Amino acid sequence: MFKNRLVLAVLVLVAWDAAAFAQEDRGTAEQRAACTSDAFRLCAGYIPDPTNVEACLRQRKSDLNEACRAVFDHADAAVPVRAVGSHR
């Protein structure tokens, strides 16, 4: 019985978070799928707040599965870094 409730809760949260992620540009469906298990395993206390879940996953990067870690590595590489003291 507990397992059925847990599965239902996960499905509801994933469906609800999928809409929130899409609205807040939180990655593709594939990227979210890569990190869903880690979000529940490592950052369940922050669900359903996608901003805090993302921050938690970043803080626990060394504990992420390979696919989820790749999502964050790719995202980190895509962010331009400006040198300190540079002028725009």
Side-chain angles (χ1 to χ4, degrees):
M1 185 69 165
F2 175 75
K3 186 176 179 182
N4 290 340
R5 287 184 181 177
L6 180 62
V7 169
L8 179 60
V10 168
L11 290 174
V12 168
L13 286 173
V14 168
W16 188 56
D17 280 344
F21 275 127
Q23 290 173 356
E24 296 182 27
D25 193 28
R26 299 284 181 180
T28 66
E30 291 82 12
Q31 290 169 327
R32 291 189 306 271
C35 294
T36 297
S37 63
D38 286 336
F40 281 101
R41 181 172 58 91
L42 301 169
C43 305
Y46 297 102
I47 294 172
D49 183 346
T51 302
N52 283 331
V53 170
E54 180 181 349
C56 173
L57 290 172
R58 286 183 184 280
Q59 289 175 347
R60 304 284 306 265
K61 191 172 178 179
S62 63
D63 299 322
L64 300 178
N65 71 60
E66 187 176 325
C68 186
R69 192 175 319 116
V71 169
F72 284 99
D73 287 342
H74 179 74
D76 291 343
V79 175
V81 177
R82 216 170 55 142
V84 175
S86 67
H87 297 282
R88 278 190 114 195

